């Protein structure tokens, strides 16, 4: 159970880190469906405001808020993955120590 699960979690951590970096760069591919819809709504609203000769400040603020929410979501996911990885490492170390202490050598 130990090493394969830890490797799987390492891959998940790597993927989540890449997603987080992409969100920080302003890319949309790591966003979930509701976040993408919110970004598209804000983008369309801002475009409409600009074509009417008004400022798109509120739409920009909505896009920033959505990006920040996605960043917080990915940070929380990353923290949970790191916690789970640490739990598995501790569990594997305890099992190894128990096996070593139960033998003759």
């Amino acid at each position: 159970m130990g090493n394969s699960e830890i490797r799987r979690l390492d891959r998940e951590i790597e993927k989540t880190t890449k997603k987080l970096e992409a969100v920080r760069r302003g890319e949309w591919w790591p966003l979930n469906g509701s976040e993408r819809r919110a970004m598209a709504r804000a983008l369309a609203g801002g475009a409409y405001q600009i074509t009417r000769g008004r400022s798109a400040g509120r739409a920009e603020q909505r896009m920033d808020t959505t990006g920040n929410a996605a960043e917080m979501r990915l940070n929380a996911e990353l923290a949970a993955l790191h916690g789970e990885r640490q739990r598995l490492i501790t569990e594997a170390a305890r099992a190894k120590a128990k096996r070593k202490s139960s033998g003759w050598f």
Side-chain angles (χ1 to χ4, degrees):
M1 172 185 135
N3 284 340
S4 63
E5 287 292 314
I6 292 171
R7 278 194 302 273
R8 182 188 63 78
L9 278 173
D10 284 341
R11 283 192 302 272
E12 288 293 322
I13 288 170
E14 190 68 31
K15 279 176 24 182
T16 306
T17 303
K18 286 180 183 178
K19 285 181 181 181
L20 185 58
E21 289 169 2
V23 166
R24 286 181 178 152
R25 285 192 304 267
E27 297 176 18
W28 283 28
W29 66 264
L31 302 180
N32 62 25
S34 64
E35 291 165 346
R36 282 187 187 156
R37 283 192 303 273
M39 285 288 231
R41 272 195 313 272
L43 183 65
Y48 179 79
Q49 294 289 350
I50 287 174
T51 58
R52 297 291 178 216
R54 295 190 292 252
S55 171
R58 195 176 305 141
E60 287 178 9
Q61 185 179 10
R62 260 183 273 159
M63 288 179 74
D64 288 343
T65 302
T66 304
N68 289 339
E71 194 173 329
M72 283 193 327
R73 174 181 59 84
L74 288 169
N75 271 328
E77 190 176 321
L78 199 57
L81 287 170
H82 278 294
E84 181 68 15
R85 183 180 187 276
Q86 190 60 45
R87 186 189 66 78
L88 284 175
I89 288 174
T90 304
E91 191 176 292
R94 281 192 185 132
K96 185 175 182 180
K98 188 175 181 182
R99 275 196 318 270
K100 283 196 166 237
S101 68
S102 67
W104 264 80
F105 300 100

